[in-house]
Amino acid sequence: NRQSSPAAGDATSLTIAVVGDVHDLWDEGDGTALQHLGVDLVLFVGDFGNESVDIVRQISQVTLPKAAIMGNHDAWYQATDWGRKRCPYDMEKENRVTQQLDLLGEAHVGYRHLDFPQFDLTVVGGRPFSWGGKKWKHRKFYQTMYGVKDFEASYERIAAAVDAAAHSNLIFIGHCGPAGLGDRQEDPCGRDWKPSGGDYGDPDLQRAIAYAKQRGKTVSLVTFGHMHHRLRHRQDRLRDILRTSGATVYLNGACVPRIITDGESQRRHFSLVTLVNHQVRRTAQVWVDQDLNVETTVDYDAARPPVEFTLAQPVQTN
């Protein structure tokens, strides 16, 4: 899909697929669909399954350029006391969290960055394994895995990844999105299991995005999952999945379930993002059936932009 190299100075186009919360729904048909859609780059926003090593192994074999971040379900047993008591395997003999990380290798960008020189672009990862919210959770897990003890240390890790980026054009991915996108149940990171709602975005990611912009970086896209499109206790209602602020598009890709099977019919979901000259021109929800027929619903078209959202300002939270 790329029409020229960045060095040529002409218009460049990039097609990105965002794969929302997988939850064990991934198979060889996904690779076929991605090729059919003409995707240049694939971004996985976590929750592959409950420490599902086999699913992560399949995803690690995707041959397209890719970046991924782990979700809360990807450390479902190791991160919490509750999970450790219910773990179906012997943690003294194997560590499925590190197995997943080893399989993904450099494609896992949690607390890291990955440069794509062919696209003149760097993908920066937020906090891996995030559950969202303004309370620091799972202290022992993060201290053991990353030496991170609080939001401040977590922000510093993401900011360091920004500083290490080789390119000034950035895309951020997180499992949970940044704080500041609204506190209604229907907002992109809104808490939907309480009638009062609440902003369950990551404040450390919010600060890191603001830091990148202060450093003069171009942040075209921030994409994430975690909060499913269909509200948890209001199955008749869908969440607002997109916000725009300045030149940045914030996109929740967590369509769950992402594969729907009905008899012999099967449809699989991707969020597609089109960038032209490092600006988001279009985002769409795409369903691909078993015959590679494509159903597209456009969320965002730069020619008809929605009302711009006023982001809340970052605050220090520990």
Side-chain angles (χ1 to χ4, degrees), residues 70-229:
M70 297 305 236
N72 57 303
H73 279 267
D74 303 315
W76 191 245
Y77 303 113
Q78 291 201 32
T80 66
D81 291 337
W82 176 92
R84 286 188 286 273
K85 291 176 182 177
R86 293 164 177 77
C87 186
Y89 63 91
D90 187 344
M91 288 188 182
E92 294 187 0
K93 293 182 179 179
E94 62 176 319
N95 186 327
R96 294 187 182 175
V97 170
T98 56
Q99 287 178 43
Q100 294 172 99
L101 293 172
D102 289 344
L103 283 166
L104 289 173
E106 69 170 11
H108 183 255
V109 295
Y111 284 152
R112 297 179 55 251
H113 75 285
L114 184 57
D115 298 319
F116 292 94
Q118 68 271 42
F119 307 135
D120 186 25
L121 173 72
T122 296
V123 176
V124 175
R127 173 169 25 113
F129 306 104
S130 173
W131 292 61
K134 62 182 180 180
K135 181 180 178 182
W136 184 254
K137 305 177 182 72
H138 316 309
R139 294 178 182 273
K140 182 178 179 180
F141 175 79
Y142 279 107
Q143 184 69 48
T144 300
M145 285 287 295
Y146 296 105
V148 170
K149 65 178 182 178
D150 54 23
F151 281 117
E152 181 66 24
S154 184
Y155 157 71
E156 290 174 356
R157 288 290 297 266
I158 307 170
V162 170
D163 289 337
H167 306 283
S168 61
N169 302 300
L170 304 184
I171 288 176
F172 280 86
I173 66 171
H175 177 55
C176 193
L181 297 179
D183 59 6
R184 302 177 307 146
Q185 289 186 358
E186 298 90 348
D187 286 324
C189 300
R191 179 174 61 176
D192 62 356
W193 58 93
K194 294 282 188 180
S196 58
D199 185 345
Y200 243 60
D202 285 345
D204 43 350
L205 180 58
Q206 180 191 25
R207 286 183 63 196
I209 294 167
Y211 171 76
K213 293 180 177 181
Q214 290 165 5
R215 293 294 305 271
K217 305 289 186 179
T218 297
V219 182
S220 57
L221 176 68
V222 179
T223 191
F224 48 89
H226 189 50
M227 299 300 189
H228 299 176
H229 287 183

Side-chain angles (χ1 to χ4, degrees), residues 263-281:
E264 296 183 358
S265 174
Q266 188 178 71
R267 301 188 305 151
R268 62 192 71 241
H269 176 270
F270 304 92
S271 295
L272 282 193
V273 181
T274 303
L275 268 65
V276 177
N277 290 341
H278 300 293
Q279 293 184 335
V280 176
R281 301 301 299 173

Side-chain angles (χ1 to χ4, degrees), residues 34-52:
L34 288 169
Q35 294 288 345
H36 180 71
L37 292 169
V39 169
D40 300 302
L41 174 65
V42 190
L43 303 177
F44 295 91
V45 297
D47 272 7
F48 301 107
N50 291 348
E51 301 187 20
S52 296

